[in-house]
Amino acid sequence: RATFTHLKNLEPAALFEILFSLCLLGVLALMYLGVLARPELTLVIPIAAWAGAAPVLYGAVRQLMAREWASMEMLASIALGFSLYSNEWASAVFIALMLSGSRLLSVLTEARARKSIESLLKLRPDTAKVDREGRIELVPLEAVRVGDTIVVDAGDRVPVDGMVLIGDAALDESS
């Protein structure tokens, strides 16, 4: 089941990327269906090609100024440049759609990873039972020092990394 609850937390630039990808996909679909073959609509394809190329070319120029020669943006800008130069509008729109789609997938993957990490951090205990001279003290994790002996009872979450000193342990490390 696909859920898009993480879309509500996206930045405006990412939402623009989604809409832009859908627009490029729509232009390609209409072009291949023959709808854009009418004379009054022939400018739509070159406009879409230039609009799709603009962010890629801008990124390539920024990378050139930063002396970053080998990147996906550079390769894509070369392909887009040749497509635009030779008036291959469909190729330019398709390349722009592919890049827009890859940026979109990157943003969605990052949002999902961030959400997963946040949910894992919620499982982390805030305190640890520290054995200090035979007394068990409940201390915040920030107060645990290297070399402290931590007491972990059955069913407790392990608050910090370490090794078993006394007894046996079987831990479920899955998250």
Side-chain angles (χ1 to χ4, degrees):
R1 187 181 83 152
T3 58
F4 295 100
T5 56
H6 49 279
L7 287 179
K8 64 184 174 189
N9 298 328
L10 291 180
E11 297 176 14
L15 292 175
F16 173 77
E17 194 74 48
I18 292 170
L19 292 175
F20 189 65
S21 295
L22 291 174
C23 288
L24 289 176
L25 185 60
V27 167
L28 275 178
L30 291 174
M31 187 184 74
Y32 283 110
L33 291 174
V35 175
L36 296 179
R38 297 187 348 222
E40 64 271 12
L41 297 176
T42 55
L43 282 179
V44 172
I45 299 169
I47 290 171
W50 281 102
V56 178
L57 296 174
Y58 175 72
V61 168
R62 278 192 353 197
Q63 288 180 339
L64 278 175
M65 294 178 79
R67 301 207 187 285
E68 296 175 16
W69 306 110
S71 70
M72 184 181 76
E73 295 281 337
M74 291 298 293
L75 181 61
S77 66
I78 292 169
L80 274 170
F82 279 116
S83 293
L84 293 172
Y85 177 73
S86 61
N87 294 336
E88 292 292 335
W89 307 121
S91 297
V93 171
F94 186 73
I95 293 167
L97 175 64
M98 296 287 288
L99 291 170
S100 181
S102 72
R103 287 191 301 266
L104 172 63
L105 288 176
S106 174
V107 165
L108 293 177
T109 302
E110 184 179 318
R112 182 172 282 176
R114 186 179 303 111
K115 183 179 175 185
S116 296
I117 290 171
E118 287 170 359
S119 67
L120 284 175
L121 288 175
K122 289 179 184 175
L123 296 176
R124 188 185 77 172
D126 298 328
T127 58
K129 297 176 195 171
V130 179
D131 184 352
R132 298 226 167 110
E133 300 173 8
R135 291 187 345 263
I136 306 298
E137 295 179 14
L138 193 62
V139 299
L141 282 183
E142 296 81 27
V144 176
R145 298 180 306 264
V146 175
D148 281 347
T149 301
I150 308 297
V151 177
V152 180
D153 295 323
D156 286 351
R157 289 196 175 112
V158 180
V160 294
D161 288 342
M163 64 180 149
V164 178
L165 298 176
I166 301 170
D168 294 319
L171 300 174
D172 180 8
E173 297 184 70
S174 65
S175 301

